[in-house]
Amino acid sequence: MISIFLISATVLRGQSPGDNATIQPLRSDVGINGLTVNLHSLGDYSYLGNDTLQTDGSSELEFVFRNVRMMSPRVGVGFQVLGSFFVDNSGDESSFGIGSWGIGPMLRAYPFKTNRFQPYVQGKALFGNNMAVGELANTRTGGEGFRVRLGLRGGAAYRISNAFGFFVEVGPDWESGRLFRADARTMQVNIGIDLYRFN
């Protein structure tokens, strides 16, 4: 995470004033809608005596939508919604269904006053069902039922225009069936798109 901010500081020094002239600064009335799509895959291996290892492939397509409203030029609050669909190829027949879902609040801060290239830090929480991190929701017994997921992110958004941009972020997630008692951890790297709404 420290390396992200070192890179961010280098890029900020290389920006010319003209780069920010065409991009409107974030204000207290700006809304930011972001979308991330992640593909998770998992192989369950089994050893059958003298036979070779056999594996079946399962995958999960996860969507995360977030809505952030800027409270000031550098601080925004909002919420995020998570949903996923899985395909399970274990056994004789394949199955398809809803894997996990969740909703929760988020808080974002922009430490630098920039318009086009915008590093940020972000804290978030998700409350939902079958949200086991690091493994597919339908294959991990410990991840079934109600789950709480807390996460921290260090990221950078790049605004191509006043209305559109993309972001890259990285950080840890902690998850459990109870608040503040993590029994699962993972490191996430997310890439997505942002839509900016100026009122």
Side-chain angles (χ1 to χ4, degrees):
M1 194 174 297
I2 295 175
S3 61
I4 290 179
F5 289 108
L6 291 177
I7 295 171
S8 300
T10 303
V11 174
L12 291 174
R13 285 197 299 268
Q15 285 185 322
S16 65
D19 288 338
N20 289 330
T22 59
I23 300 296
Q24 296 184 43
L26 296 182
R27 308 184 305 257
S28 59
D29 61 346
V30 176
I32 305 172
N33 295 135
L35 178 65
T36 302
V37 180
N38 296 319
L39 178 64
H40 304 288
S41 58
L42 176 70
D44 292 330
Y45 290 91
S46 57
Y47 181 70
L48 304 176
N50 294 327
D51 202 350
T52 59
L53 287 174
Q54 294 186 356
T55 180
D56 61 81
S58 299
S59 58
E60 182 180 38
L61 190 61
E62 179 185 86
F63 298 87
V64 180
F65 170 80
R66 57 196 194 185
N67 187 342
V68 178
R69 172 64 64 174
M70 299 302 295
M71 298 292 102
S72 73
R74 296 197 185 185
V75 178
V77 297
F79 68 91
Q80 59 181 345
V81 179
L82 176 146
S84 72
F85 300 93
F86 71 85
V87 176
D88 188 357
N89 296 323
S90 60
D92 297 332
E93 296 182 359
S94 297
S95 60
F96 172 83
I98 297 176
S100 56
W101 57 265
I103 188 171
M106 60 189 303
L107 173 67
R108 181 184 297 177
Y110 294 89
F112 303 107
K113 188 176 181 180
T114 58
N115 297 335
R116 185 179 294 275
F117 183 80
Q118 298 177 313
Y120 62 85
V121 291
Q122 180 175 280
K124 61 176 187 172
L126 274 172
F127 305 89
N129 196 53
N130 296 349
M131 298 191 305
V133 293
E135 298 188 41
L136 288 181
N138 66 311
T139 59
R140 184 175 186 266
T141 304
E144 295 178 349
F146 175 77
R147 304 287 287 176
V148 179
R149 184 187 299 180
L150 305 177
L152 293 174
R153 294 288 185 272
Y158 185 82
R159 297 172 61 189
I160 298 174
S161 68
N162 284 318
F164 180 78
F166 61 90
F167 65 88
V168 178
E169 59 185 26
V170 61
D173 278 345
W174 302 270
E175 189 174 301
S176 175
R178 290 184 291 174
L179 192 62
F180 302 123
R181 190 178 179 89
D183 57 25
R185 300 172 182 83
T186 191
M187 184 66 68
Q188 291 270 7
V189 178
N190 297 324
I191 301 174
I193 59 173
D194 280 328
L195 298 178
Y196 296 82
R197 296 178 289 108
F198 287 80
N199 294 334

